[in-house]
Amino acid sequence: MSNALDVIPHSLQKRAQSAVLHGVLKLPRPLLRRIAGSPVRLDGQELDLEVQALLRLQALTGQERMAADTPEKARTGMLRGLEVTRGAEVSGVQVSKRSVRARSGELDARLYRPEGLTEPGSLLVFYHGGGWVVGDLETHDELCRFLAKYADLRVLSVDYRLAPEHAFPAAAEDAVDAYQYVLDNAADLGSSPDSIAVGGDSAGGNLAAVVAQHATANGLKSPVLQFLLYPAVDASTRRRSRELFSDGFLLTDGDMDWFMDMYQPDVAERSDPRLSVLLNEELSGLAPTVLITAGFDPLRDEGEEYARRLSAAGVPVISRRFPDLIHGFANLLGASTRLREAMFETVGQLRAGLALHSE
């Protein structure tokens, strides 16, 4: 006998699940606490109640991990999960399809422009997260709309090649090529080579850092800013935060192993600075950096160590930890009030970082 849900269209199922999730997260806090369970306290931090409830609901629906049996299933799972958590569409942003030339061929891209922004200005080249294996233009559409609208700048989201079909250094090469393309075509994108920033979340943050290092080392015009959201910066070492938050906080230890085995299966080559950017011995002269971390994130400690190393090398750095949040919180901004508040503050840090360029 077939399941009754099988006759309900997928889109209706997702809308129903989304309505339930958003309804639950708006319950009075005492009721929400009963759903979430006892407070989670680790390393002197307490997990936000709304985030804890969200994780609880995801666990009940089997969406608590990012890895899957196959890359295809993981990609579908990420997109479907975000369809449930996504809030109302961010209005006031115009989106156009673009094509970016790279050595590997044409890369799909989307250009986001706030309505009313007609003068040339800053442009953020954005690389999506997803462990170099999952994620695409659609999974990060809400985030890019949010950044464009509230930071009041153009955002070019670039869809690079994914592993394991295209293993390391394919994504890094595409990221560098996309940046070069933007420099060469800045005017057509509503900007200038003097106003290009790079950014991304998680694996995308890694790619943005790779681009910044490549530009400095190879005599390219450096980006005016690196905007790094909980970036992966060192694949060679397990740090304390990876042990503390190995399971139960969206990105798991098993997920990280799965992603890395797909992207760079050769363990001996994981110290390559095009992957482990933290290991680059020369960091001076890099672009000013905004680096955001989350308290309950396996990647927390490596990201914060990178911020310290950049600062020690004389790079202007704005570093901010959200101690009550988890990895991936920027992609969940439509799910709860707390996550949206954090993203408004993050946009403030982005604007402050861009202001460093104009001083």
Side-chain angles (χ1 to χ4, degrees):
M1 174 179 282
S2 63
N3 190 307
L5 289 176
D6 293 340
V7 300
I8 302 176
H10 167 74
S11 59
L12 291 179
Q13 292 183 39
K14 290 302 174 185
R15 283 201 292 270
Q17 291 173 359
S18 179
V20 170
L21 181 142
H22 286 89
V24 168
L25 294 180
K26 291 178 181 177
L27 289 172
R29 294 183 70 82
L31 290 178
L32 199 57
R33 172 57 67 196
R34 294 184 64 180
I35 293 172
S38 300
V40 176
R41 300 185 178 97
L42 281 173
D43 201 31
Q45 307 169 134
E46 182 172 329
L47 186 64
D48 174 72
L49 173 57
E50 293 176 345
V51 172
Q52 187 181 343
L54 174 61
L55 291 172
R56 174 66 174 160
L57 293 172
Q58 287 182 319
L60 291 174
T61 58
Q63 298 176 353
E64 73 274 25
R65 289 200 58 192
M66 298 183 70
D69 295 340
T70 66
E72 293 77 13
K73 288 182 180 179
R75 291 164 189 162
T76 299
M78 180 180 189
L79 183 57
R80 288 182 176 177
L82 290 173
E83 287 174 353
V84 173
T85 59
R86 187 171 291 164
E89 183 175 287
V90 178
S91 62
V93 179
Q94 293 189 348
V95 184
S96 58
K97 294 182 179 179
R98 292 283 176 151
S99 183
V100 171
R101 289 191 302 274
R103 286 168 288 177
S104 63
E106 297 289 324
L107 305 176
D108 290 335
R110 289 181 186 175
L111 180 64
Y112 298 81
R113 178 180 65 82
E115 293 179 357
L117 180 62
T118 57
E119 296 298 317
S122 298
L123 183 146
L124 173 67
V125 184
F126 188 87
Y127 307 102
H128 67 77
W132 307 276
V133 177
V134 303
D136 55 27
L137 299 180
E138 188 59 33
T139 60
H140 286 66
D141 180 74
E142 180 180 38
L143 173 56
C144 289
R145 288 175 184 269
F146 189 92
L147 294 174
K149 179 173 182 176
Y150 293 108
D152 195 32
L153 81 170
R154 293 169 175 86
V155 176
L156 183 73
S157 181
V158 178
D159 208 13
Y160 54 88
R161 290 173 293 166
L162 297 176
E165 296 90 342
H166 305 282
F168 174 83
E173 291 175 347
D174 285 353
V176 168
D177 289 351
Y179 177 68
Q180 181 66 69
Y181 175 86
V182 171
L183 289 178
D184 294 341
N185 296 273
D188 180 57
L189 295 167
S191 188
S192 76
D194 295 323
S195 302
I196 307 300
V198 294
D201 62 313
S202 193
N206 170 272
L207 296 176
V210 168
V211 168
Q213 291 191 5
H214 175 88
T216 299
N218 291 276
L220 292 180
K221 191 167 193 61
S222 290
V224 298
L225 182 73
Q226 302 179 76
F227 176 59
L228 311 180
L229 293 168
Y230 35 81
V233 293
D234 186 3
S236 70
T237 303
R238 294 179 64 91
R239 288 175 173 77
R240 181 168 171 268
S241 60
R242 182 159 176 178
E243 305 300 336
L244 282 173
F245 313 114
S246 63
D247 192 32
F249 302 102
L250 189 63
L251 178 65
T252 70
D253 183 57
D255 290 337
M256 294 177 67
D257 285 339
W258 188 79
F259 285 134
M260 190 53 61
D261 287 343
M262 296 281 181
Y263 185 51
Q264 177 49 288
D266 189 344
V267 176
E269 296 298 322
R270 292 179 181 174
S271 297
D272 189 316
R274 292 173 298 169
L275 175 56
S276 296
V277 293
L278 176 63
L279 303 185
N280 194 330
E281 295 182 358
E282 182 53 70
L283 299 179
S284 61
L286 290 178
T289 303
V290 172
L291 199 152
I292 306 296
T293 59
F296 289 78
D297 183 355
L299 293 177
R300 183 195 70 187
D301 289 359
E302 64 189 74
E304 293 177 359
E305 184 174 344
Y306 191 48
R308 289 191 292 270
R309 282 210 58 213
L310 288 170
S311 183
V315 177
V317 176
I318 297 173
S319 181
R320 169 70 162 101
R321 178 198 293 186
F322 290 95
D324 56 338
L325 300 185
I326 59 172
H327 186 87
F329 72 82
N331 250 44
L332 303 170
L333 66 94
S336 79
T337 301
R338 173 62 188 131
L339 294 170
R340 195 170 177 85
E341 289 173 351
M343 280 309 300
F344 274 118
E345 183 175 339
T346 297
V347 164
Q349 306 288 4
L350 171 58
R351 296 180 73 120
L354 290 170
L356 293 173
H357 165 62
S358 62
E359 291 178 354

